[in-house]
Amino acid sequence: MLIVFFVLMFINMPIAFAIGIAAMTYFIRTSDLTNMLAIQQFVTGTQSFPLLAVPFFVLAGHILNVSGITSRLIKFSNLLTGHLAGGLAHVSIVLSTLLGGISGSATADAAMQSRILTKDMVQRGYSKGFSIGVIGVSSLITSTIPPSIGLILYGFIGGVSIGDLFMAGIVPGILMCFTLMLTVSIVAKKRGYDSDIVVERPTAKELLISFKDCIWALLFPVILLVGIRFGFFSATEGGAVAVVYALLVGTFIYRELNWTNFKKAIYDSVQDNSMIMLIIAAASIFSYVIAYENLPRTASELITGITAEPTLLLLIVLFIVFLAGLFMEATANTLLLTPIFLPIVEQAGVDPVHFGILMIVLITLGGMTPPLGVTMFAVCSITRTSVLEFSKGAAPFLLAVLILIIILVFFPQLVLFVPDYLNGS
């Protein structure tokens, strides 16, 4: 099964079909299991109440994006950081942090920003590699800021509280924002970006006006977390609340959501959800085979045979996850690797919420790196830039993120502080 899977990946077959066909070969080759069982797993794999959060949040994000949210957030981000060295690169990072609470998708965020900001950054004197590198890597922040689609899928597969994962992602997301901004400042000063451009600092009045203009977008993740924390709705129900909220804001407050924009949001949502759900359905067959063959226990014995020390074991698992992220799409990786590695780290005493944040960040990071990064290919194709040029520009930011991940490994309370505090532990 695994050989067929990697062969299909090598010939560039769509990931959902590669997973599904490879898993079916197992049922065809073995006499112990009927082929109908594979079809049943394909169908039942998507029939889960927590999984309903995915299509709802995807739809809410698309509605907010066509409702004038993005232009307002760009203006606010520009006022906050436009006067700094490498100002437009800082704008991209802050925008990713703010949009993380709306889109939930790193690739969607990077694709949108590369269309809007790249041209202005190049005209301002930044190298093209640097420009799309910071746009691509900064979109990683959306993997931790709620409502992250990756965290929803991890919580669904691993049986981990999605509400706790949402709360745990806040501090790492903010730390990633500051880490990337620090990296931009160092690189920009070293290369002399914006050295001959003087941008006046915004006044408090300008900041306040811009903040009020996009307050409804900024309230979105706050309302979501407060509602989940105090039991007004579950994470799944929060997705439905998000759709209603997006419709109200777009129609009655910003008044930019018309029938044409709404149809576009529905069309884009159907495309995104179809891709995600097809991967989930195919991965359900794959996951059944993994469980049937007792692969988690085998992998656990293999890794724990190397070391039983929790931190070292966690680093080994994360390294394997990172390697997998280099070759596979993030959604598929989450669905395939969670049932294998989560039991191992839990047995070693690692908190599943802590591991979930680190795993989703590393898996998503694989989308920004060669050889098969989906986000990387998206920004390169939109800006017509070579993978080599992107890789050179993104290198300092990738290094900065890896350093932050190592810090989060050794200081788990940076991840667990918010959920522990809000849960009263």
Side-chain angles (χ1 to χ4, degrees):
M1 182 181 74
L2 293 175
I3 292 172
V4 171
F5 172 69
F6 285 113
V7 168
L8 294 176
M9 286 286 293
F10 181 76
I11 64 175
N12 207 27
M13 177 172 283
I15 184 70
F17 294 102
I19 293 172
I21 293 172
M24 281 301 301
T25 60
Y26 180 89
F27 286 86
I28 293 171
R29 291 280 297 172
T30 181
S31 59
D32 296 336
L33 300 173
T34 173
N35 294 343
M36 284 302 298
L37 183 59
I39 305 303
Q40 291 171 359
Q41 290 298 317
F42 184 87
V43 175
T44 59
T46 60
Q47 297 178 0
S48 166
F49 181 71
L51 204 58
L52 279 173
V54 174
F56 278 130
F57 280 121
V58 170
L59 176 58
H62 281 297
I63 292 174
L64 286 170
N65 279 336
V66 299
S67 300
I69 294 284
T70 302
S71 59
R72 288 172 170 83
L73 291 178
I74 289 175
K75 181 180 178 182
F76 182 57
S77 302
N78 196 35
L79 284 173
L80 284 175
T81 62
H83 59 281
L84 302 174
L88 286 178
H90 289 297
V91 169
S92 173
I93 296 168
V94 173
L95 185 59
S96 290
T97 307
L98 299 178
L99 281 173
I102 296 174
S103 69
S105 167
T107 303
D109 175 45
M112 181 275 297
Q113 288 200 41
S114 61
R115 289 188 182 97
I116 297 174
L117 296 178
T118 303
K119 184 177 179 181
D120 290 338
M121 293 171 78
V122 173
Q123 287 179 345
R124 197 149 159 176
Y126 306 169
S127 71
K128 201 171 186 180
F130 172 84
S131 301
I132 64 171
V134 70
I135 288 173
V137 178
S138 65
S139 67
L140 181 64
I141 300 173
T142 63
S143 66
T144 63
I145 300 291
S148 163
I149 302 301
L151 293 180
I152 295 173
L153 294 176
Y154 170 83
F156 159 66
I157 295 295
V160 182
S161 168
I162 297 174
D164 286 350
L165 288 167
F166 278 0
M167 289 182 281
I170 296 173
V171 172
I174 294 172
L175 289 175
M176 200 178 302
C177 172
F178 288 126
T179 300
L180 292 175
M181 289 181 70
L182 176 62
T183 307
V184 164
S185 297
I186 294 171
V187 175
K189 289 177 181 178
K190 184 177 179 180
R191 299 181 183 179
Y193 294 153
D194 292 336
S195 58
D196 56 345
I197 297 177
V198 179
V199 179
E200 293 185 4
R201 289 176 177 270
T203 63
K205 183 179 180 180
E206 289 175 327
L207 284 173
L208 181 61
I209 292 173
S210 180
F211 177 77
K212 288 172 63 178
D213 198 31
C214 58
I215 184 65
W216 295 103
L218 300 176
L219 278 175
F220 176 59
V222 177
I223 292 172
L224 181 66
L225 290 172
V226 170
I228 293 173
R229 168 62 184 87
F230 290 100
F232 295 117
F233 45 77
S234 67
T236 304
E237 295 162 344
V241 171
V243 172
V244 175
Y245 179 85
L247 288 170
L248 293 175
V249 170
T251 305
F252 298 108
I253 298 175
Y254 292 145
R255 299 183 180 181
E256 294 186 23
L257 182 62
N258 52 38
W259 181 242
T260 302
N261 288 340
F262 182 69
K263 286 195 297 183
K264 183 179 185 304
I266 294 292
Y267 179 80
D268 292 341
S269 298
V270 168
Q271 280 194 318
D272 289 349
N273 283 315
S274 299
M275 175 189 68
I276 293 170
M277 300 308 283
L278 187 59
I279 293 175
I280 291 172
S284 297
I285 311 175
F286 208 96
S287 297
Y288 180 86
V289 175
I290 288 173
Y292 183 79
E293 287 289 344
N294 214 3
L295 184 59
R297 181 178 177 180
T298 305
S300 175
E301 292 174 351
L302 177 64
I303 295 176
T304 52
I306 300 173
T307 178
E309 204 282 317
T311 303
L312 184 56
L313 185 142
L314 177 60
L315 286 171
I316 293 172
V317 170
L318 291 176
F319 179 70
I320 298 172
V321 167
F322 175 68
L323 291 180
L326 298 179
F327 298 96
M328 285 175 58
E329 195 270 335
T331 301
N333 258 330
T334 304
L335 296 170
L336 296 179
L337 299 182
T338 299
I340 296 175
F341 291 124
L342 181 57
I344 297 174
V345 296
E346 281 189 303
Q347 184 180 342
V350 178
D351 190 285
V353 173
H354 180 214
F355 174 68
I357 298 296
L358 296 172
M359 177 177 172
I360 295 303
V361 170
L362 274 175
I363 284 176
T364 311
L365 185 66
M368 291 94 188
T369 59
L372 299 174
V374 176
T375 305
M376 175 190 70
F377 285 136
V379 296
C380 286
S381 61
I382 290 170
T383 59
R384 297 183 179 180
T385 309
S386 69
V387 171
L388 180 61
E389 188 173 2
F390 170 87
S391 302
K392 289 180 178 178
F397 306 108
L398 293 171
L399 178 61
V401 170
L402 289 174
I403 292 172
L404 175 62
I405 290 172
I406 292 173
I407 292 173
L408 294 177
V409 167
F410 286 97
F411 297 95
Q413 279 307 309
L414 291 173
V415 176
L416 300 174
F417 168 74
V418 174
D420 284 352
Y421 177 77
L422 293 178
N423 290 328
S425 58

